[in-house]
Amino acid sequence: MRISCAPEIGCLRLDGWTNVRKLRTVLKSLIFCIVIPLFWAVVSVKAAEPERSVVQILNFSQRPNWVEPWRYSGVAKGTGSGFLIEGGRIMTNAHVVSWSKQILVRRYQDPKPYPAEIEFVGHDCDLAVLKVSDPAFYKGMESLGFGNLPKVRSTVVTYGYPAGGDQISYTRGVVSRIEMQPYVHIANRSFLSVQTDAAINPGNSGGPVIQGDKVVGVSFQGNASLENTGFFIPPNIIRHFLKDIEDGTYHGFPDAGLILAPLVNPSFKKYLNLPGEGLGARVDRIIYPFSKTHELIRPNDVLLKVGRYPVGSDGLIQYMGNRVHAGVAFDSAQHGDIVDLEIWRDGKKINVPLPVWVNREDAIEGNQYNQDPPYFICGGLVFTELSRNYLAAQGRNWRSSAKPNTLYELMFTRYLGGDAWRSRPVVLSTILNHPLNADIAVPARSIVDEVNGIKINTMEDLVRAVESNKDEFHRFRFIQGDRIEALKREAADEATKEVMNTYRVPADRRLKS
């Protein structure tokens, strides 16, 4: 019997066991020299496919000056990463494209830059999607699909364009922890995040984190106090963002507005007639002005369950194999959704259908984007809104340099409610020197309490108080030291015009729409 085969292998006659052994030898050679290399070549090509869908993003941005709000910084160039998803969109981080004037996108191993536009941005969850109008950009690219939350101790690979080079970079790492973390971009929101020892450096932000052939996260931040540690945004946050924008508007993540306290004191548990051990966390207070929440929930209610997740006495739930804060259970809800709660009150269980909404009342406590800061000038005194952005503009150590009552006004008075809370406090930002204000010694960052006898809660209050005044003087009362300063009303009008001309200020005010 003759077997035809390739010339380089030759042909064999099968005469007994000798030729059988020779055939085995040839087959082994085929396997080790051709089949196995071919297999790994195919696997390598498949493994290399995701990088063709990963792009480099160049953002040319310009930020406002929060101390002198009519001024702007120079245009700065920043870099980040992104990747193609379904619908011809590029997913990236919100912080990669913030304050953008122009965005350019570069494909894998393609020198041509393509202009891109922001389609949707979620600053609370640090995600954004871009769109490129040139159809040539998408040639040869395939969208990447999303997987599930990776398990702790499993391996992931980050793709991106970190600083220090223009070529794509791959970093393998292990998932080391999954828990709620503050999202640095917004600063006053915490969501589920995944910690890994894969390097996530500047420029990596917005790139995909891949396990197998699925995206299981978006790289977004590091921690300077930790070594070999990076964080990525998990699939549940990504899917919430994508579902939110389906109607053409991004609303954001809703809040329950509940502050939970651990319930471990056995005496207090007995006082509440709460049966069992390790069940439920106490509602300490309600911090947002949602009337329905105040109607349905009371302080000292015990939260037993959020949706299908039982709440432990430490305020944590079991979520996909991880012990995390109960707030994660609310993060699947969209703006206006109903979340079913199980509450212990007055010695019995009750079911509470709690509506949840996006809260914007605390915007000044977090970083704000893509909206110019308001200001108003009167006699060379420049007033603006107290905000985290404003204080951070004072320098890196703004927390330690800011006056305690300024931080208290920004961060804590809203918990008190009533007359103690100013929704958007006003501060004296700076003084444009003029003979009229030469003897005013009120320091910058002083909070305005009253103007002409009118309490000031917002910039609009300040403008009305000044423009409605018919007296000879404008009287400004500041919280710090209960100090009062005064300017002659008519002289202040003239001084405002003069300082605008001297300091090249285009307008005496800019208020939020």
Side-chain angles (χ1 to χ4, degrees):
M1 185 171 81
R2 181 177 292 274
I3 298 178
S4 296
C5 45
E8 63 271 23
I9 296 175
C11 297
L12 298 174
R13 287 186 66 83
L14 300 183
D15 297 326
W17 288 107
T18 301
N19 285 336
V20 170
R21 285 194 295 269
K22 289 181 179 180
L23 178 60
R24 287 175 178 171
T25 302
V26 171
L27 290 175
K28 287 181 180 179
S29 299
L30 280 169
I31 292 172
F32 284 102
C33 297
I34 297 177
V35 177
I36 291 178
L38 182 60
F39 170 78
W40 284 113
V42 171
V43 171
S44 298
V45 169
K46 186 175 181 179
E49 286 176 356
E51 67 197 27
R52 299 185 180 278
S53 300
V54 181
V55 300
Q56 184 182 36
I57 298 173
L58 308 177
N59 182 28
F60 298 88
S61 62
Q62 189 175 38
R63 298 170 181 265
N65 182 323
W66 294 81
V67 177
E68 298 180 339
W70 60 91
R71 299 186 186 275
Y72 294 86
S73 68
V75 176
K77 174 185 173 183
T79 63
S81 305
F83 58 99
L84 188 66
I85 64 172
E86 189 178 2
R89 291 167 168 167
I90 299 167
M91 173 160 279
T92 187
N93 287 140
H95 77 257
V96 170
V97 295
S98 294
W99 299 110
S100 176
K101 296 297 181 182
Q102 184 186 39
I103 299 173
L104 298 176
V105 178
R106 285 197 178 120
R107 293 161 31 114
Y108 172 70
Q109 293 188 350
D110 184 348
K112 179 181 177 180
Y114 293 84
E117 298 290 335
I118 298 173
E119 192 174 39
F120 296 99
V121 61
H123 291 293
D124 55 350
C125 63
D126 200 3
L127 290 172
V129 289
L130 314 179
K131 199 82 171 179
V132 175
S133 59
D134 188 344
F137 170 79
Y138 299 97
K139 187 176 180 180
M141 296 178 68
E142 294 184 4
S143 60
L144 301 181
F146 293 100
N148 297 317
L149 182 70
K151 295 184 180 299
V152 174
R153 295 188 299 275
S154 66
T155 301
V156 295
V157 179
T158 64
Y159 290 70
Y161 291 84
D166 292 324
Q167 299 303 311
I168 195 168
S169 172
Y170 319 85
T171 306
R172 187 178 301 275
V174 174
V175 173
S176 53
R177 181 160 52 185
I178 298 174
E179 64 180 2
M180 296 276 275
Q181 289 280 349
Y183 276 32
V184 173
H185 178 64
I186 192 68
N188 65 334
R189 291 287 185 272
S190 293
F191 298 107
L192 196 69
S193 65
V194 183
Q195 180 178 316
T196 177
D197 61 357
I200 296 178
N201 297 309
N204 267 121
S205 293
V209 180
I210 294 180
Q211 189 173 75
D213 61 350
K214 298 292 185 181
V215 175
V216 295
V218 177
S219 302
F220 79 124
Q221 66 187 37
N223 189 326
S225 63
L226 300 175
E227 294 183 1
N228 303 320
T229 300
F231 297 90
F232 59 87
I233 301 169
N236 68 309
I237 302 297
I238 299 168
R239 288 192 171 98
H240 186 287
F241 171 78
L242 292 175
K243 182 175 176 58
D244 193 331
I245 64 177
E246 286 179 358
D247 63 358
T249 301
Y250 180 70
H251 298 94
F253 282 73
D255 281 298
L258 307 179
I259 298 296
L260 299 180
L263 186 53
V264 294
N265 187 320
S267 297
F268 196 74
K269 286 183 178 182
K270 190 172 182 179
Y271 167 75
L272 295 172
N273 294 318
L274 183 67
E277 291 295 328
L279 297 175
R282 182 174 62 85
V283 176
D284 184 60
R285 60 187 183 276
I286 304 166
I287 59 172
Y288 295 150
F290 300 146
S291 58
K292 197 67 177 176
T293 305
H294 286 270
E295 175 187 329
L296 295 173
I297 306 295
R298 304 175 189 170
N300 288 330
D301 280 349
V302 179
L303 183 60
L304 299 176
K305 189 181 288 188
V306 181
R308 59 188 176 90
Y309 298 102
V311 180
S313 59
D314 54 1
L316 305 183
I317 64 171
Q318 196 73 19
Y319 180 81
M320 300 183 72
N322 305 279
R323 193 86 178 146
V324 298
H325 191 275
V328 172
F330 291 93
D331 288 341
S332 60
Q334 297 287 344
H335 178 64
D337 281 356
I338 301 292
V339 178
D340 293 321
L341 306 182
E342 187 176 277
I343 297 290
W344 181 266
R345 180 190 298 165
D346 298 332
K348 61 183 178 180
K349 292 180 183 179
I350 61 172
N351 294 316
V352 176
L354 180 70
V356 290
W357 296 277
V358 173
N359 175 58
R360 297 185 176 88
E361 294 296 328
D362 62 346
I364 61 173
E365 297 174 30
N367 293 318
Q368 301 174 73
Y369 296 94
N370 302 331
Q371 186 171 19
D372 294 330
Y375 72 91
F376 178 67
I377 300 175
C378 179
L381 307 184
V382 180
F383 300 95
T384 192
E385 187 175 272
L386 175 63
S387 66
R388 186 186 190 95
N389 296 76
Y390 169 74
L391 292 180
Q394 315 294 326
R396 184 171 296 179
N397 298 319
W398 61 271
R399 288 181 182 84
S400 57
S401 62
K403 296 178 177 63
N405 54 3
T406 302
L407 289 176
Y408 185 79
E409 189 77 27
L410 177 65
M411 302 289 188
F412 299 109
T413 55
R414 69 184 176 90
Y415 296 122
L416 302 177
D419 293 337
W421 181 55
R422 301 169 197 269
S423 57
R424 286 155 45 205
V426 175
V427 294
L428 176 66
S429 179
T430 188
I431 297 177
L432 302 178
N433 293 328
H434 184 276
L436 182 69
N437 58 46
D439 61 344
I440 289 182
V442 176
R445 292 176 279 180
S446 295
I447 298 171
V448 182
D449 185 23
E450 293 181 354
V451 173
N452 300 325
I454 298 174
K455 183 178 179 180
I456 305 302
N457 293 320
T458 67
M459 290 290 296
E460 290 76 13
D461 292 338
L462 172 68
V463 173
R464 281 194 298 270
V466 169
E467 294 189 337
S468 64
N469 183 38
K470 303 301 181 185
D471 295 341
E472 182 180 0
F473 291 93
H474 290 310
R475 302 175 307 282
F476 301 88
R477 182 188 293 274
F478 297 89
I479 290 178
Q480 282 84 349
D482 196 27
R483 180 175 297 191
I484 296 178
E485 295 285 354
L487 296 175
K488 293 197 70 170
R489 179 172 57 84
E490 293 182 358
D493 293 341
E494 290 302 315
T496 299
K497 297 175 184 176
E498 292 172 9
V499 297
M500 286 173 58
N501 182 62
T502 301
Y503 295 93
R504 299 183 180 180
V505 181
D508 69 342
R509 73 192 69 184
R510 179 175 60 225
L511 302 180
K512 289 184 176 180
S513 56

